[in-house]
Amino acid sequence: GVTTVYGGHAMGFEQIEVYRWLCQEERLSVRVLCAPEVEPYGTPWSPEPLDVAEYRQRLDRARDLVDRSDPWFRVDGATIGRGGPCWPGLLLMREPYRGPYGEATTGRSFVSPEKVELAIRYCHEHGVRLSIVTAGVAEHDDYLDMLEALDQAPLHADGRAWIAQHLYFVEPAQARRLAALGFDVTTSLSFLWGKGEMVRERLGEEYLLDFIPVARLLAAGLRVAAGSDWGPKNAFEQIALAVSPHFGASGRASPLPGITREAALAMWTREAAHVLRWDGIGSIEPGHLADLIVVDRDPLTTPVEELPSTRVLTTIVGGKTLDGDRWISPGGDRPGRTPRRRR
């Protein structure tokens, strides 16, 4: 089942402490992995740009927070990002495109290349797992050049591959370069579903050929985890989008191919566990945690248009059954309040 969330973008130290408190109070009903963002930006409460000393202090803090021992809440690595989404004209692209008021833009960088390179080298030298939020092809170009300058592949922290998040537009050569560096990937079909028609309008039809190219990433040998991000929260609707990608505003099909049911389901389960490097979840097998869901149809055989209607009948996390937001007592006679977990 989908029992784990990854907070690797717009994740501040304050939010991490809220998760930690929830865990200490034994109020988490999903497993949580966080990676603090080194330079906060893009929100009304974001501070002014950090100076280099403050930036390095946040890298030190991210390094010192790493803890993968708890069965419910973990912190692992650091996140960096530079650009933003397409709608406000923040997406970093090589060629100009239309901004929100019709003006030409190639995007905006919120974090200097010097700070980005500092974070890359810091994580490489200190064994910190780095997660890079990147969307536009120009942004990928800069990151790939910096990463390849380290002259070492694969890039990892104690066997845990570094992560590329979002990956809106990915050209074939960029996918191959990421794979050669040993990266793992998180992305979301929400971006394609919700932004496809905007991409067509702002950037042009030809850019759809590189927009959320999941089949291309898999063909390059990348391990891909899928998430809901801000789009449809229903995992089975997301799986249907991976199989038959289309745009929500128009219903038009993406020009890119879909992937198999098996591959789509794996991105939400086995491959997600691999990318998060969380042992014991993501698949049903002896020795794994009893995290699973029971559904009302077979997602591998039901018609793809019926996948979004899949109903979850039972959710089990850590061997305990959850009905809505209430745990069911072992006897199954009536729901009870969420129990305090024993350590």
Side-chain angles (χ1 to χ4, degrees):
V2 182
T3 59
T4 309
V5 296
Y6 176 49
H9 181 32
M11 178 58 60
F13 294 109
E14 298 83 0
Q15 288 92 338
I16 288 174
E17 292 311 310
V18 171
Y19 277 123
R20 190 187 308 282
W21 176 80
L22 288 169
C23 181
Q24 291 169 347
E25 292 294 308
E26 300 183 352
R27 295 173 63 178
L28 288 179
S29 59
V30 294
R31 305 181 196 280
V32 179
L33 175 68
C34 295
E37 193 145 33
V38 181
E39 175 95 65
Y41 71 92
T43 58
W45 54 86
S46 295
E48 292 297 314
L50 304 175
D51 61 33
V52 172
E54 293 171 321
Y55 189 78
R56 182 175 282 276
Q57 286 173 1
R58 289 178 67 90
L59 283 165
D60 289 339
R61 189 174 178 186
R63 176 201 62 197
D64 296 341
L65 276 177
V66 171
D67 184 355
R68 302 186 302 279
S69 62
D70 193 273
W72 286 82
F73 171 67
R74 299 179 180 183
V75 184
D76 190 15
T79 298
I80 58 171
R82 290 178 54 204
C86 176
W87 187 88
L90 306 179
L91 184 73
L92 291 164
M93 300 294 283
R94 296 190 202 105
E95 302 296 328
Y97 61 94
R98 289 172 53 198
Y101 305 105
E103 77 284 10
T105 181
T106 55
R108 177 180 172 185
S109 178
F110 291 91
V111 181
S112 70
E114 292 77 17
K115 285 183 180 176
V116 168
E117 187 169 13
L118 170 60
I120 288 172
R121 294 194 174 276
Y122 179 99
C123 290
H124 181 56
E125 293 168 3
H126 290 82
V128 177
R129 191 181 196 195
L130 183 63
S131 185
I132 300 176
V133 183
T134 180
V137 292
E139 194 174 8
H140 305 336
D141 286 343
D142 290 345
Y143 284 125
L144 286 164
D145 288 346
M146 292 178 190
L147 293 163
E148 289 167 346
L150 296 176
D151 195 28
Q152 180 175 334
L155 294 168
H156 61 86
D158 191 24
R160 302 182 316 285
W162 287 5
I163 298 176
Q165 290 185 54
H166 289 5
L167 287 180
Y168 281 13
F169 298 92
V170 187
E171 297 166 341
Q174 292 176 329
R176 292 192 295 269
R177 291 170 72 187
L178 280 168
L181 288 164
F183 266 72
D184 285 340
V185 172
T186 67
T187 191
S188 176
L189 276 300
S190 299
F191 304 138
L192 182 142
W193 176 85
K195 301 173 186 275
E197 293 300 342
M198 179 180 61
V199 169
R200 186 197 311 277
E201 175 187 340
R202 295 284 187 85
L203 283 80
E205 184 91 21
E206 65 275 16
Y207 283 90
L208 294 174
L209 296 172
D210 296 320
F211 188 46
I212 315 297
V214 175
R216 177 179 298 163
L217 301 178
L218 296 177
L222 290 158
R223 305 287 292 268
V224 181
S228 59
D229 206 84
W230 53 266
K233 292 180 287 186
N234 179 347
F236 294 98
E237 186 171 355
Q238 295 274 350
I239 290 168
L241 284 168
V243 174
S244 180
H246 61 272
F247 310 134
S250 65
R252 286 185 55 177
S254 165
L256 292 174
I259 60 176
T260 67
R261 304 270 189 110
E262 291 82 357
L265 189 61
M267 290 197 309
W268 277 88
T269 54
R270 184 191 66 237
E271 295 301 282
H274 171 84
V275 171
L276 298 181
R277 291 304 199 275
W278 199 310
D279 294 335
I281 64 173
S283 57
I284 301 173
E285 56 185 283
H288 275 210
L289 294 163
D291 289 12
L292 55 103
I293 55 175
V294 179
V295 294
D296 66 348
R297 67 200 71 192
D298 185 346
L300 296 178
T301 60
T302 194
V304 67
E305 64 273 12
E306 295 180 12
L307 267 173
S309 300
T310 300
R311 290 183 59 240
V312 177
L313 304 176
T314 303
T315 300
I316 300 172
V317 183
K320 294 184 173 65
T321 302
L322 183 67
D323 178 21
D325 62 350
R326 300 168 72 86
W327 294 101
I328 297 175
S329 63
D333 51 349
R334 65 186 182 191
R337 296 191 66 181
T338 303
R340 293 184 67 82
R341 297 191 306 279
R342 303 297 180 194
R343 299 233 177 232

